Amino acid sequence: MSNVISVSGVTKRFGRTRALDGLDLEVRAGEVHGFLGPNGAGKSTAIRVLLGLLRADSGTVRLLGGDPWKDAVELHRRLAYVPGDVTLWPNLSGGEVIDLLGRLRGGLDRDRKRELIERFDLDPRKKGRAYSKGNRQKVALVAALASDAELLLLDEPTSGLDPLMEAVFTDCVAEARERGRTVLLSSHILAEVEKLCDRVSIIRDGRTVETGTLAELRHLTRTSITAELAGPPDGLADLPGVHGLRADGGRVTFEVDDDRLGDALARLAARGVRSLTSRPPTLEELFLRHYRDGDARTANGSTRTAGGDARPVDGDARTASGDAR
Amino acid sequence: MTGTGSLVRLILRRDRLVLPLWVLLLAVLPITQTAGIAELYPTERGLREFAASFGANPALVAMYGPFTHWNAAALGVWRAGFTPVLLGLACLLTVVRHTRVEEETGRRELLGSTVLGRQAGLSAALAVAASANLAVALVVLASFAGPGYPVAGALATGLGYAATGMVFAAVGAVAAQLTESAGGARAIGLSALGVAYLVRMAGDSTGASWLSWLSPFGWSQRMRPFAGEVWWPLALSLAAVALLSLAAYALAGRRDLAAGVLPPRLGPADAVPGFGSPLALAWRLHRGPLLGWSAGFAVFGAVVGAAAKAAADTMAGNARLMEMMARLGGSANVADVFVASVMSIFGMGAAGYAVQAALRMRGEETLMRAEPLLAAPVGRARWMAGHLVFALLGPAVVMLVLGVAVGIAYGASTGDVAGRLPGVAGAAVSQLPAVWSLAGLAVALFGLLPRLTALAWAALALFLLLGQVGALLDLPPAALDLSPFSHLPKLPGGEVAATPLLVLTAIAAALVATGLYGFRRRDVG
Ligand SMILES: Nc1ncnc2c1ncn2[C@@H]1O[C@H](COP(=O)(O)OP(=O)(O)OP(=O)(O)O)[C@@H](O)[C@H]1O
Ligand SMILES: [Mg+2]
């Protein structure tokens, strides 16, 4: 029983939309697991299925050894949840909400609450709408982090937090891991994922497209090469596995699938290499490739390299579509 | 003002069912009453007699306003005297719904960042209210002019309604600027409406008739439709609309989006010790409406109770009226009949409260506030139970308060509190099975068809209509029997029949159980 969460082949439809379409997800005990994917990929839906708020149409879901739909109440004693879009009651203060959620879970540690409120620089006396988005988020974060839950389900917990508070959040999650907690962290903020996550799963259109440690993911991808050649790079563009070749006189830049790296280097060597730099893909390049259309690993002739607009916008479509639902 | 047009279209789209429904229902009330009276009393003599006895009844004058003329149209409009109150209520709630609610939920922010002008939301809500009121006026005009009643009277009725509706739309617009929460704005608006009604009531039932000139309800009544129309009171309404709208715009221009004029207060940093269960949360969410409804029912109950004895005294000895009332109320004791008919009106009010309290669950769900609780160790049934306590016991408290208020005031006027109170309080409580059936309907819809919860309101509107005009219209019994209120014993005065009460309670229980069953099996969100 080393898996805290194991999901396999889960589908969930909303009318015509297939929000989840054969999702697989394994989260091991004690790890911080990054849960990534473009907007509308189904991350929030998957978390709601894990919480037993939605019922999966098919597939199996196990959480902390139980069935999240049938054993919801029992399982919820052992987990804490931070929604992506926190709404508070207009006539309750933040402190009251934190206490309410804590007591529902069987009581909370006052000192810990006070400490977290201080660290997150939150005024617990304000009410509902008086909080900014980031501050509403902090209320939910303090409530979850002050609890003694084994498992934290965090759906874009830092959306709306300023960089200072993001750093506090990163510390808090790191501490939670040290205390042996398991964390499922859905996020669009790659720096956060890189800092915190032991393993990540990337989903798109309700399906898992990649799972593994960041090192493993990097391994499966491409290396960026920049080289100064003695002559023109003839034949390089036709080489299988080479993408996005740009040549400017003797200077070439391109990306190459890692399993074709040898061939490409041999070809370059044949032209006479004056200088060569290679670097592994940045995390952004890695994710962007997975987020975009088409199968990431067989993407052919990709000239779409990461540009200045690389960071995916973090935001929540839910506020926009709230009324339509 | 930019974007007002597109916001108007948005509002009309969102309200495409509710808005035409109340416009039409309210606009046909006076002609329905008129037609009923004209059919019951085809001769002038009959009408005069009916008018003489009813018009002299201070309790009815207190409820409907001063009596003006014995002709069928004037009588019908008079008997429909509650329409302006309902219209004012509908306009007020509509304006708050499309201004403050939008801001509170943050939807306006989303639209506000597009090319909307600052005041577009307010303008759009007022424009929609104005169109609705205009539609009411036109329907009233057409409904009377069609069968050949005088056009001037029809116009005075319709314009009087529209003017009152607009005054309260503007009241809603001002209230929406004051507080951050929609609930607070509604409470302010409803209080203004209640005060306006009570002031008119006091003016018409005591010697101080100048008081009625302080109330928008008084202004439109003093236009005397079908009784030698007077037009200038319309100017008072229009002036009030203009002043209130200006005030709303001025307030809106000076505050930030989503903020109120009244500053929000800080709350406690820690919750009080007992605050840690779904029930405790439900109490915080429901206590405001519960206290508001209780206070309103206590005040109205006291006024009605105090008027009952006077009603009995005036009517005693009028055999024809007694017979007529007995037909409506089921008893020969006029005061009892009067109290019984009032109880059923208040029963409908309590049903409105019950539906509102039950649908609070849907509100919590769509605003994503149910999620944090259901993601904590709180079962679905336990979460629902917190709200159900208030949807079911809240109306019981409210009706009991009403019964006690009526009983004490009535008993005091007859010098026999101990004798009157139990019967009157019992009569109030006997409305509950019907009230609960409507609450049950709302709960069942929430569990099974959450997108169609508005049907509970439609059912209540239908029952209200059946109760108001059903007896006069000779509708087939099967239609009248649709309403749970038609099965209640006519108390005080009538026979206490346990069977209908038990059956209605059982139906309510079954509906609530269905709702619980449905919600435990469906997706949340
Ligand atoms: N209650 C619902 N009814 C209908 N469709 C829904 C509902 N909830 C989610 N969806 C749809 O399911 C899909 C997945 O949505 P989900 O919220 O899970 O995405 P996400 O990965 O969390 O996206 P984001 O990064 O924007 O938060 C979307 O197409 C969304 O429109
Ligand atoms: Mg999401």
Side-chain angles (χ1 to χ4, degrees), chain B residues 488-511:
Chain B
L488 295 174
K490 305 236 160 42
L491 294 176
E495 295 261 311
V496 184
T499 316
L501 297 182
L502 291 177
V503 170
L504 283 174
T505 307
I507 290 176
L511 286 168

Side-chain angles (χ1 to χ4, degrees), chain A residues 14-15 17-20 37-46 48 54 155-156 186 188 203 315-318 321 325, chain B residues 451 524-525:
Chain A
F14 295 108
T17 323
R18 267 176 185 277
L20 298 180
N39 293 132
K43 302 178 295 295
S44 300
T45 305
R48 288 204 177 88
L54 302 177
D155 190 358
E156 293 182 44
S186 139
H188 289 300
I203 73 168
D316 202 325
R318 190 161 298 286
S321 62
R325 301 185 325 123
Chain B
R451 274 154 221 265
V524 174

Side-chain angles (χ1 to χ4, degrees), chain A residues 49-50 52 61-73 75:
Chain A
V49 168
L50 289 172
V61 188
R62 303 290 292 171
L63 178 94
L64 295 165
D67 176 337
W69 179 260
K70 289 201 196 107
D71 315 323
V73 176
L75 296 177

Side-chain angles (χ1 to χ4, degrees), chain B residues 88-493:
Chain B
L89 185 71
C91 289
L92 184 114
L93 294 179
T94 301
V95 168
V96 172
R97 172 168 144 81
H98 292 292
T99 51
R100 177 52 66 181
V101 173
E102 290 297 283
E103 286 186 46
E104 191 187 32
T105 52
R107 287 197 283 264
R108 179 54 40 80
E109 208 167 357
L110 197 67
L111 293 175
S113 56
T114 61
V115 290
L116 289 185
R118 280 190 64 81
Q119 317 274 34
L122 186 54
S123 305
L126 284 173
V128 168
S131 326
N133 282 305
L134 198 63
V136 168
L138 288 175
V139 173
V140 170
L141 179 63
S143 69
F144 276 96
Y149 289 101
V151 171
L155 200 61
T157 311
L159 288 181
Y161 283 1
T164 313
M166 257 342 268
V167 170
F168 286 100
V171 167
V174 172
Q177 312 308 319
L178 295 180
T179 64
E180 262 184 28
S181 77
R186 281 193 207 103
I188 291 176
L190 289 180
S191 309
L193 186 98
V195 167
Y197 185 70
L198 280 178
V199 164
R200 191 212 44 73
M201 218 177 184
D204 291 343
S205 54
T206 67
S209 65
W210 57 269
L211 272 175
S212 304
W213 286 104
L214 297 180
S215 166
F217 295 119
W219 302 334
S220 46
Q221 264 155 8
R222 271 148 192 75
M223 290 174 70
R224 300 177 61 85
F226 302 106
E229 290 76 13
V230 181
W231 298 99
W232 66 265
L234 202 56
L236 288 177
S237 306
L238 293 181
V241 172
L243 281 178
L244 287 166
S245 308
L246 281 178
Y249 278 108
L251 290 171
R254 290 175 50 183
R255 66 178 181 83
D256 297 331
L257 186 69
V261 170
L262 309 175
R265 280 173 303 172
L266 288 180
D270 300 297
V272 294
F275 190 65
S277 68
L279 183 63
L281 175 64
W283 162 244
R284 288 291 295 272
L285 300 178
H286 286 273
R287 70 180 176 189
L290 177 62
L291 292 180
W293 281 88
S294 300
F297 270 37
V299 172
F300 277 90
V303 173
V304 164
K309 164 107 184 338
D313 291 348
T314 326
M315 287 191 277
N318 185 327
R320 190 173 169 80
L321 175 65
M322 305 286 268
E323 184 209 312
M324 162 89 190
M325 291 288 274
R327 195 173 135 188
L328 284 172
S331 157
N333 177 328
V334 184
D336 280 354
V337 171
F338 175 69
V339 171
S341 63
V342 166
M343 285 303 170
S344 81
I345 293 180
F346 279 102
M348 302 256 181
Y353 165 50
V355 169
Q356 184 192 39
L359 294 189
R360 183 77 198 227
M361 288 189 286
R362 180 63 181 156
E364 290 283 291
E365 184 188 1
T366 50
L367 290 173
M368 313 292 291
R369 293 189 203 136
E371 206 179 83
L373 294 186
L374 294 172
V378 173
R380 306 248 180 129
R382 185 164 163 234
W383 177 79
M384 274 182 86
H387 291 277
L388 288 179
V389 165
F390 292 91
L392 300 174
L393 296 187
V397 169
V398 162
M399 286 309 281
L400 200 62
V401 165
L402 172 78
V404 169
V406 175
I408 289 178
Y410 177 36
S413 69
T414 61
D416 181 20
V417 173
R420 301 290 177 191
L421 184 55
V424 173
V429 170
S430 74
Q431 296 286 325
L432 285 175
V435 173
W436 285 333
S437 337
L438 272 158
L441 178 64
V443 175
L445 286 167
F446 169 72
L448 294 179
L449 302 166
R451 274 154 221 265
L452 300 181
T453 41
L455 285 181
W457 289 115
L460 178 62
L462 177 71
F463 300 156
L464 191 69
L465 199 69
L466 287 176
Q468 283 284 302
V469 298
L472 290 169
L473 277 193
D474 278 339
L475 288 177
L480 293 180
D481 284 349
L482 270 180
S483 166
F485 291 92
S486 72
H487 302 281
L488 295 174
K490 305 236 160 42
L491 294 176

